[in-house]
Amino acid sequence: MNRPPPYFPQNQLSPPDENRYKKFKFVVAGLILAFLAIIAGIGVGIYYLIRMFF
């Protein structure tokens, strides 16, 4: 039973997506914008919370 393992092709069966990098940039930009919106919302919330007490 000293047979080599079965052959698995190393290349992809389908060609790579040409718009993959563009989609990745949109996802990263969306995550950055969402993070900035969350930070801005926290800042505004803290501002109004402090303003409410003083």
Side-chain angles (χ1 to χ4, degrees):
M1 294 297 270
N2 284 337
R3 292 184 300 187
Y7 172 72
F8 293 104
Q10 298 298 318
N11 57 352
Q12 293 180 345
L13 298 177
S14 61
D17 187 10
E18 296 175 357
N19 293 328
R20 180 176 53 184
Y21 184 63
K22 189 184 294 185
K23 291 177 188 175
F24 176 72
K25 286 197 302 187
F26 280 133
V27 168
V28 170
L31 289 174
I32 290 173
L33 287 175
F35 179 72
L36 290 177
I38 289 171
I39 295 298
I42 290 172
V44 169
I46 290 173
Y47 171 75
Y48 281 111
L49 185 67
I50 290 173
R51 192 171 152 205
M52 184 176 69
F53 286 122
F54 296 110

